[in-house]
Amino acid sequence: MGGFDGGVVAAVSSNGVYSFTKPNRDSITLLAGLGVEGDVHAGVTVKHRSRVAQDPTQPNLRQVHLIHEELFDEVAADGHRVRPGELGENVTTRGIDLLALPTGTLLRFGDHEDGGCAVVEVTGLRNPCLQIDAFQDGLLKRVVGRDPETGAIVRKAGIMGVVRQGGPVRPGDAVHVELPALPHTPLDRV
């Protein structure tokens, strides 16, 4: 997989109703402080049902869900066929090691003549749930596991972020990575 720059948007997806998968779109619009325009998870406070049940006043650190398309190649080797949007992500990337980014990284999408670039600040790792196995039996074990050396949980089902600057995001857009100041804080689940 690529490093921290030179990536591209492979697909964008959104859904206005609760559903595990999200249909692909020609473009999505990110709204500063809210998330993806028209997406059920957009908002200042949490929208994920289990988190709303815990505390509906929590800030929404999961406004945008991103997955690296390379994960689909990895799980395909185990017989799982996954396409962009099917794991509920809004932005599918290629060429960036999303999971290795530190908390607070800024991702800048494209450089559009019609409105500059959208910016997402990375907040943490997606914590995959049992819905992944309902989608494809056995897939959860492929996207969550344990590091054989440390025993630590390894989450591969993408990262979450908040929108710092709104704008359009389209397949083919370049993704520019701006790392935060040192020291870097590794991603944890949000």
Side-chain angles (χ1 to χ4, degrees):
M1 190 176 337
F4 292 136
D5 219 352
V8 66
V9 174
V12 294
S13 310
S14 66
N15 203 339
V17 297
Y18 282 103
S19 138
F20 183 69
T21 62
K22 294 182 188 245
N24 294 152
R25 308 287 182 193
D26 292 333
S27 70
I28 57 173
T29 300
L30 301 185
L31 303 173
L34 295 174
V36 178
E37 182 177 44
D39 193 81
V40 70
H41 291 105
V44 174
T45 56
V46 292
K47 301 299 175 196
H48 194 271
R49 288 176 170 168
S50 66
R51 292 169 189 268
V52 169
Q54 291 172 358
D55 178 3
T57 66
Q58 294 176 74
N60 188 2
L61 302 178
R62 301 163 53 99
Q63 294 174 358
V64 181
H65 176 202
L66 302 97
I67 285 185
H68 51 294
E69 193 175 44
E70 292 85 353
L71 176 65
F72 305 155
D73 301 335
E74 184 181 322
V75 300
D78 296 320
H80 296 281
R81 184 168 182 228
V82 180
R83 291 183 298 269
E86 289 186 334
L87 294 182
E89 78 275 12
N90 301 111
V91 179
T92 310
T93 65
R94 180 162 281 284
I96 296 178
D97 190 354
L98 294 177
L99 303 177
L101 295 173
T103 302
T105 297
L106 297 179
L107 301 174
R108 297 181 185 279
F109 297 94
D111 221 355
H112 301 290
E113 297 171 10
D114 58 352
C117 65
V119 179
V120 170
E121 180 181 341
V122 176
T123 55
L125 295 168
R126 175 188 186 189
N127 192 29
C129 64
L130 291 174
Q131 286 184 329
I132 290 177
D133 267 350
F135 170 67
Q136 283 187 27
D137 191 42
L139 184 56
L140 184 61
K141 288 181 185 176
R142 302 295 172 244
V143 298
V144 178
R146 293 214 176 259
D147 182 297
E149 294 178 21
T150 66
I153 294 175
V154 176
R155 293 173 178 87
K156 299 180 187 178
I159 64 172
M160 308 305 283
V162 295
V163 181
R164 292 297 179 219
Q165 180 175 309
V169 180
R170 301 178 184 112
D173 281 352
V175 183
H176 303 283
V177 176
E178 184 180 318
L179 297 174
L182 293 170
H184 290 162
T185 304
L187 296 177
D188 199 359
R189 67 186 177 100
V190 292

